Amino acid sequence: MDRDVLDQFRDTLRRFVRERLVPLERQVADEDRIPEDIRAAFAEMGLFGLSIPEEYGGLGLNLAEEVELVFELGWTSPAFRSMFGTNVGIGSQGILIDGTEAQKRHYLPRLASGEMVASFALTEPEAGSDAAALRTRAELHGDHYVVNGTKRFITNAPHAAIFTLMARTDAGNKGAGGVTAFIVDAKSPGIRIGAPDKKMGQRGAHTADVVFEDVKVPAANVIGLKPGQGFKTAMKVLDRGRLHIAALCVGVAERLIHESLSYAAERKQFGQPIAEFQLVQAMLADSRVEAYAARCMVQDAARRYAAGEIVSTEASCCKLFASEMVGRVADRAVQIHGGSGYMQDYAVERFYRDVRLFRLYEGTSQIQQLVIARNMLREAAGGRAGR
C-alpha cells in the first residue's frame, strides 16, 4: 500500500478506535457482545481483509504494514480485534499460503468482505502445545473424508461459516506427517458447537468447543489438495499469527501506560501527584522501556517477513517478549492505581485479566522458548557441519 494511503488509513483507524470503540469497552464487557453496527463498520473499513491480497478482495497489506494497524487496535479491548482477527490471520492464511487457486477464489473474497468468518480448529482437549498429537480423525471414503473428533477453545467458533480444520488422515503416522488441513463448512451435518466458554477476560470474544461426528468433507476441500501437509500449513500460519499477536500486545501496553500516566498525574497523596514519587516514576519508566523494545522487535521481524525472510525464531522471540511484557505492564498499571486498580471502574482491572491470555494462545511462552532454543541449536549444528 502506498505510504501516504497507509498513514491516512492508520489515522482513520486511530480515531475510530479512540472515539467509537473505547467508549464501548464497558458495555462489551458487561454484555459479552460486540454491537452489530461495529461489525458492519469493521467490514466497511476493510478490516476483515487486511492481509488478503487485493486480487481476492482484500487490502493486501504486507505484515510490516499490518502490524502498524494492529498497534492502533491494541489501544482498546482485544475483543474488538478478535471479531475479525481470525479472518486476517489463522482462519484465512492457511488457504492463502497453501490453498489451490480455486480454493482461494472461492473463499478469500468472502472472508475479506466479512460475509464469512473463518475459525482455525487445531487445539484439542489432549492436544494443545503438542499440536502434532491431535486425535481428530479424517478417514477417506471415495471422494470424501469422514471426520470425528473434538476441538477446544476455538476462537469465533459460534460465528464461523468455515473451519480450517487439522485432522489426522494417516492412522499409521502418529507424528506431524499424518495431519491434513481441511476447509470445512460449519453447517455440515454432524458439527455441533458447544456453549461459549466462560473466560477470565476478553469478554465479547467468543470461543467454544467444536464437535465433529461423522462429518463428511469433500476430498476437494483438502487445503492445496495435499494430504499430510496440515501440520506444516499450521506452522506457517502461526509464524505470522505470533507477530500479529505481539503487535497487539504492544498496542495494549501503550494504552496501559497512558492510563497509568494519566492516573498518576491526577491522583494526589501526601499533598502532591503520585507521579512525583520516584518509585512510581520507576514503574512508568520500566513500562515505557519494555513497550518500546517490543515495538522495535515486532517492526524488525515484520519487515523481515515482508521481505521474504524466514523468521520463525524472530516471531517466537517477539511473541514471547511482547506477551510477557504486557503482563508486567498491566501488573504495574494496577499497582500505580493502587486500590482503584482492583476495581472494575477502571480500565486497567479489565486489561489485567484480558492480557493474561496472550501468554497462552498461538503457542505458550514455554513453547516459544522451546522453538527459539531448538532453532538456535539447529543453526549451530548447521554451522559446525559447514566448517
Side-chain angles (χ1 to χ4, degrees), residues 36-193:
E36 188 58 32
D37 66 316
I38 296 300
R39 187 189 190 286
F42 286 159
E44 184 177 351
M45 294 174 71
L47 296 180
F48 283 91
L50 283 181
S51 61
I52 296 174
E54 292 181 78
E55 63 185 295
Y56 303 115
L59 296 181
L61 302 186
N62 64 40
L63 189 56
E65 296 166 335
E66 181 182 322
V67 299
E68 296 298 323
L69 301 183
V70 177
F71 291 149
E72 300 299 331
L73 290 164
W75 192 265
T76 189
S77 168
F80 289 112
R81 183 220 58 100
S82 188
M83 174 172 271
F84 57 84
T86 50
N87 278 32
V88 171
I90 54 180
S92 68
Q93 289 301 302
I95 300 171
L96 179 60
I97 294 171
D98 283 340
T100 66
E101 188 60 30
Q103 289 169 345
K104 294 175 185 178
R105 294 202 175 279
H106 182 73
Y107 291 104
L108 293 180
R110 298 163 73 187
L111 294 174
S113 69
E115 171 194 343
M116 177 182 283
V117 171
S119 284
F120 185 69
L122 173 63
T123 300
E124 297 182 0
E126 297 184 21
S129 294
D130 186 8
L134 57 85
R135 296 184 178 183
T136 296
R137 304 183 315 280
E139 298 177 354
L140 183 61
H141 293 268
D143 63 353
H144 67 273
Y145 287 82
V146 176
V147 179
N148 284 279
T150 299
K151 297 295 182 177
R152 177 145 294 173
F153 309 140
I154 305 305
T155 301
N156 283 333
H159 317 293
I162 60 170
F163 294 102
T164 299
L165 170 72
M166 302 295 157
R168 188 167 301 283
T169 50
D170 185 351
N173 186 338
K174 301 299 183 183
V179 177
T180 296
F182 296 87
I183 305 167
V184 182
D185 187 334
K187 294 183 179 179
S188 300
I191 292 180
R192 178 166 52 85
I193 309 299

Side-chain angles (χ1 to χ4, degrees), residues 173-245:
N173 186 338
K174 301 299 183 183
V179 177
T180 296
F182 296 87
I183 305 167
V184 182
D185 187 334
K187 294 183 179 179
S188 300
I191 292 180
R192 178 166 52 85
I193 309 299
D197 297 318
K198 295 181 179 180
K199 308 187 302 297
M200 177 191 294
Q202 298 208 15
R203 290 177 58 81
H206 299 146
T207 66
D209 285 3
V210 183
V211 180
F212 298 83
E213 296 177 344
D214 295 327
V215 177
K216 292 183 178 180
V217 180
N221 282 31
V222 170
I223 291 182
L225 302 181
K226 295 179 180 179
Q229 298 296 306
F231 188 78
K232 291 181 179 178
T233 296
M235 293 305 101
K236 293 175 188 176
V237 168
L238 288 174
D239 276 350
R240 183 185 181 110
R242 286 166 179 166
L243 286 169
H244 181 107
I245 295 300

